[in-house]
């Protein structure tokens, strides 16, 4: 029993003892005994992660990820603005359909001019001979970027009275229906030449959507 009474206070003090205190490296003030140190009243685990407002500071990895995401967002926005400036961004859905139809019906950069056989073949291949023969159609023999550059010229009045038409001089083959053929076996007369054309443009950036004349 005397041995138990002797060891019991020591065991209680070890179990109930608070976490070890961390002694800061701050030197003692003048007048204090040499070697005296100030004591931090917080446990070591709290001292190693100090916070001026009592909150846990953001993890350095999380901060790096956030900065990378912000940088990526800025680069994507810059890329989009660059594409818009270069005219590489597609127009809206409705304008894109009209633009694609314009390309199908009027653009053929592979040749510089055609004859009657060319008109008969191309009008059928580009689906303009059914359900009826299209009376007149022109194929432009220029690169699409040259055709799109027409949209940057001054505005002129279209046949419908709108002011979104533009003019340019290009190589074309005009195909005119002979008048005595039936769909889908349409027959055309061809006239290849260089002349001024009028196209309507829409969108931002503007693209040709209608062959006016």
């Amino acid at each position: 029993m005397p041995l138990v009474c002797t060891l019991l206070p020591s065991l209680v003090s070890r179990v109930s003892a608070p976490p070890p205190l961390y002694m800061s490296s701050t030197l003692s003030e003048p007048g204090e005994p040499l070697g005296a140190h100030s004591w931090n009243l917080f446990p070591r685990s709290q001292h190693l992660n100090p916070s001026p407002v009592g909150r846990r500071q953001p993890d350095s990895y999380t901060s790096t990820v956030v900065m990378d995401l912000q940088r990526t967002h800025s680069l994507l926005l810059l890329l989009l603005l660059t594409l818009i400036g270069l005219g590489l961004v597609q127009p809206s859905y409705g304008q894109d359909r009209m633009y694609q139809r314009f390309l199908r019906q009027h653009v053929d950069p592979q040749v510089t001019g055609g004859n009657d056989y060319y008109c008969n073949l191309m009008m059928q291949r580009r689906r303009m001979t059914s359900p009826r023969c299209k009376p007149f159609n022109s194929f432009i023999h220029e690169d699409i970027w040259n055709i799109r550059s027409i949209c940057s010229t001054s505005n002129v009045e279209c046949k419908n009275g709108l002011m979104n038409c533009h003019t340019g001089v290009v190589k074309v083959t005009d195909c005119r229906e002979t008048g005595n053929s039936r769909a889908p076996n349409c027959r055309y007369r061809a006239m290849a030449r260089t002349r001024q054309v009028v196209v309507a443009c829409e969108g931002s950036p503007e693209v040709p959507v209608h062959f006016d004349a």
Side-chain angles (χ1 to χ4, degrees):
M1 182 65 69
L3 180 61
V4 174
C5 294
T6 303
L7 296 177
L8 183 59
S10 177
L11 293 174
V12 171
S13 63
R14 291 184 182 181
V15 173
S16 60
L21 301 180
Y22 174 70
M23 185 175 67
S24 70
S25 59
T26 305
L27 294 178
S28 58
E29 297 294 333
E32 293 182 357
L34 183 62
H37 291 77
S38 60
W39 290 84
N40 190 343
L41 298 181
F42 297 98
R44 176 181 293 270
S45 60
Q46 297 183 14
H47 182 81
L48 294 178
N49 195 18
S51 173
V53 294
R55 296 180 181 178
R56 185 178 180 182
Q57 296 297 304
D59 186 80
S60 58
Y61 175 76
T62 304
S63 301
T64 302
V65 171
V66 172
M67 292 177 63
D68 289 342
L69 289 176
Q70 292 175 344
R71 187 180 298 110
T72 302
H73 180 269
S74 299
L75 290 175
L76 290 175
L77 179 60
L78 178 61
L79 176 61
L80 177 61
L81 294 176
T82 302
L83 293 177
I84 292 176
L86 293 175
L88 300 179
V89 177
Q90 290 294 329
S92 65
Y93 177 71
Q95 293 164 351
D96 183 62
R97 287 200 314 172
M98 297 176 66
Y99 175 56
Q100 294 300 326
R101 186 178 67 176
F102 178 90
L103 296 179
R104 175 176 61 85
Q105 292 186 347
H106 301 293
V107 179
D108 182 19
Q110 303 301 321
V111 300
T112 58
N115 52 20
D116 293 353
Y117 175 78
Y118 170 86
C119 284
N120 294 337
L121 177 65
M122 289 297 293
M123 293 295 290
Q124 186 173 26
R125 182 177 294 174
R126 298 292 180 92
R127 306 196 303 273
M128 289 178 281
T129 59
S130 179
R132 63 182 183 86
C133 301
K134 186 176 181 179
F136 181 84
N137 190 71
S138 298
F139 293 100
I140 304 175
H141 307 301
E142 301 282 353
D143 183 87
I144 183 56
W145 296 106
N146 292 338
I147 301 174
R148 287 183 61 165
S149 67
I150 297 176
C151 296
S152 62
T153 62
S154 301
N155 294 69
V156 297
E157 186 176 0
C158 306
K159 291 179 179 179
N160 60 7
L162 298 179
M163 292 297 297
N164 63 322
C165 279
H166 306 264
T167 62
V169 177
V170 292
K171 295 185 292 291
V172 301
T173 295
D174 294 322
C175 301
R176 189 179 301 276
E177 202 263 326
T178 59
N180 56 358
S181 59
R182 293 184 178 181
N185 299 315
C186 306
R187 294 292 178 265
Y188 292 88
R189 293 283 184 265
M191 179 176 291
R193 51 182 172 163
T194 299
R195 69 175 179 89
Q196 178 176 279
V197 298
V198 181
V199 296
C201 301
E202 293 182 2
S204 179
E206 286 191 315
V207 293
V209 294
H210 175 68
F211 192 99
D212 205 56

